[in-house]
Amino acid sequence: MRTLANIFRLGLKELRCLFADRVLLILIVWAFSGGVYTAASGMSRELHNAPVAIVDMDHSPLSQRIAGAFYAPYFRPPQAATLSEADAGLDTGRFSFALVIPANFQRDLSAGKRPELQLAIDATNMGQSFIGASYIQHIIAGELNEYLTGTRSTATSPIQLATRVRFNPNLTGFWFGGVMEVINNITLLSIILVGAAFIREREHGTLEHLLVMPLTPLEIMLAKVWANALVVLVAASFGLMVIVQAVMRVPVAGSVLLFLVGAACFLFAAASIGIWLGTVARSMPQLGLLIILIVIPLQLLSGGVTPRESMPRLVQAIMLGAPTTWFVRFAQAILYRGAGFDVVWPDFLAILAIGGVFFAIALARFRKAVTQTQL
């Protein structure tokens, strides 16, 4: 009971120190409010209002029909241009696509010939160029088929593929971006807050005050873990339920409570990593550099940005030892696909096991740091 009381009181001390630091409070509030909203809505992954130039050398009803098939929200109204204007527009970024319709295009097509259309693409935006090229190909194919056969369907196939998109029927990108930003901020802030708390103790000299008290390194570490994890968990709940669900109107398929339980398990592992970094670093600038080296790979290689299946097998195997891999896995399963505890419990156990290893390493480093401070 005395140990629990010490952990509780030390945690309250951590909360008071955190609430006294206005910069960190502003960072936490922004990360789970404006940061989530801007990251999700400001970086659209869909084709939206792409500027198109059409070099029409045919001036036929068919070429005008093709030009009229580009409409919002995917494309802006096409602008007529010459070859030199289209090239200059692509060079300056004024146009993302330039479609060149050659002379006598309609006549050659009606005569059974195979005239060629040229599509020039600004590929500096890889995502938009890839999606836009596919859209333009389907638009032109539909218009040509309707002109020649009276129907927009292509040649009859021996099979018919029926596509049904689950969990995100309209392929809305900011649904994915909003939830993943909450997940990424949980990882980032949990490590920053705990590591910064330890460095702050050392720089302000309060660590020496703790050492003269009847406290153990285990009690000090657990206090920092639960206090900072509680703040991040409350902020993440606000970001998920208010910003993502209420403001952005992103449907969450699964249980928010189950996700928060899993997030609490992850926060234990992430806070342990933060304490370990705090024992390695000697100052706030060093901690910042270490966080860059640790957090960015954890986020990029966890499966939240790109599928793990597209990574080299060695990287996949190494990242199984990172708690973020399991966190992203069960978070997507719960929030996107509505998975229950019977599906995600192995991920919870994996996170707790990895967190226990990091906590033991951090405890050993913390005891060593305490010994060096006493000396």
Side-chain angles (χ1 to χ4, degrees), residues 17-41:
C17 293
L18 179 60
F19 292 146
D21 193 333
R22 295 184 178 180
V23 175
L24 280 180
L25 286 179
I26 294 174
L27 173 63
I28 295 171
V29 172
W30 168 257
F32 289 101
S33 57
V36 173
Y37 184 84
T38 55
S41 60

Side-chain angles (χ1 to χ4, degrees), residues 190-269:
S190 58
I191 295 178
I192 288 178
L193 290 181
V194 180
F198 186 85
I199 296 296
R200 185 170 56 243
E201 298 272 11
R202 177 181 293 170
E203 290 183 345
H204 293 176
T206 54
L207 183 60
E208 287 77 5
H209 297 168
L210 295 176
L211 296 179
V212 299
M213 298 179 181
L215 301 173
T216 64
L218 178 64
E219 294 172 350
I220 298 175
M221 282 184 54
L222 289 177
K224 294 184 181 297
V225 169
W226 83 257
N228 291 280
L230 178 62
V231 173
V232 175
L233 199 62
V234 171
S237 303
F238 172 82
L240 184 60
M241 291 186 288
V242 176
I243 303 301
V244 174
Q245 288 185 283
V247 177
M248 300 175 61
R249 299 188 180 277
V250 178
V252 173
S255 170
V256 175
L257 179 60
L258 180 60
F259 166 75
L260 294 178
V261 171
C265 298
F266 171 75
L267 286 169
F268 166 69

Side-chain angles (χ1 to χ4, degrees), residues 51-328:
V52 181
I54 293 184
V55 182
D56 189 0
M57 302 179 180
D58 192 29
H59 301 288
S60 64
L62 179 58
S63 64
Q64 297 175 6
R65 183 173 180 173
I66 292 175
F70 294 86
Y71 47 82
Y74 302 115
F75 300 97
R76 297 178 186 173
Q79 297 186 25
T82 63
L83 278 175
S84 58
E85 291 173 346
D87 290 339
L90 289 172
D91 292 339
T92 59
R94 180 184 174 191
F95 302 126
S96 295
F97 305 94
L99 178 64
V100 180
I101 303 177
N104 302 322
F105 174 74
Q106 179 176 337
R107 186 186 66 182
D108 293 343
L109 186 67
S110 301
K113 300 180 181 179
R114 300 177 63 88
E116 295 183 354
L117 297 176
Q118 180 182 0
L119 178 64
I121 303 173
D122 178 10
T124 54
N125 189 336
M126 289 296 297
Q128 180 172 279
S129 63
F130 178 79
I131 298 174
S134 177
Y135 280 19
I136 292 175
Q137 181 179 359
H138 285 291
I139 289 173
I140 295 176
E143 295 297 329
L144 295 182
N145 286 329
E146 187 173 3
Y147 172 76
L148 294 174
T149 64
T151 177
R152 299 185 67 88
S153 61
T154 56
T156 304
S157 173
I159 61 173
Q160 184 176 3
L161 181 64
T163 303
R164 294 180 176 86
V165 181
R166 299 184 62 185
F167 313 120
N168 189 356
N170 296 323
L171 300 177
T172 307
F174 74 86
W175 286 14
F176 176 82
V179 175
M180 288 310 304
E181 187 66 17
V182 172
I183 295 173
N184 290 335
N185 287 341
I186 290 175
T187 304
L188 178 63
L189 287 179
S190 58
I191 295 178
I192 288 178
L193 290 181
V194 180
F198 186 85
I199 296 296
R200 185 170 56 243
E201 298 272 11
R202 177 181 293 170
E203 290 183 345
H204 293 176
T206 54
L207 183 60
E208 287 77 5
H209 297 168
L210 295 176
L211 296 179
V212 299
M213 298 179 181
L215 301 173
T216 64
L218 178 64
E219 294 172 350
I220 298 175
M221 282 184 54
L222 289 177
K224 294 184 181 297
V225 169
W226 83 257
N228 291 280
L230 178 62
V231 173
V232 175
L233 199 62
V234 171
S237 303
F238 172 82
L240 184 60
M241 291 186 288
V242 176
I243 303 301
V244 174
Q245 288 185 283
V247 177
M248 300 175 61
R249 299 188 180 277
V250 178
V252 173
S255 170
V256 175
L257 179 60
L258 180 60
F259 166 75
L260 294 178
V261 171
C265 298
F266 171 75
L267 286 169
F268 166 69
S272 301
I273 296 177
I275 294 177
W276 172 64
L277 293 178
T279 59
V280 174
R282 296 297 178 183
S283 62
M284 284 293 186
Q286 288 185 6
L287 178 65
L289 293 175
L290 287 175
I291 287 176
I292 293 175
L293 295 176
I294 299 296
V295 173
I296 291 180
L298 287 178
Q299 293 183 343
L300 293 180
L301 303 178
S302 62
V305 179
T306 57
R308 295 189 67 249
E309 293 76 12
S310 63
M311 303 177 189
R313 292 188 179 273
L314 178 61
V315 175
Q316 296 183 36
I318 293 174
M319 289 304 296
L320 291 176
T324 50
T325 300
W326 305 97
F327 180 42
V328 170

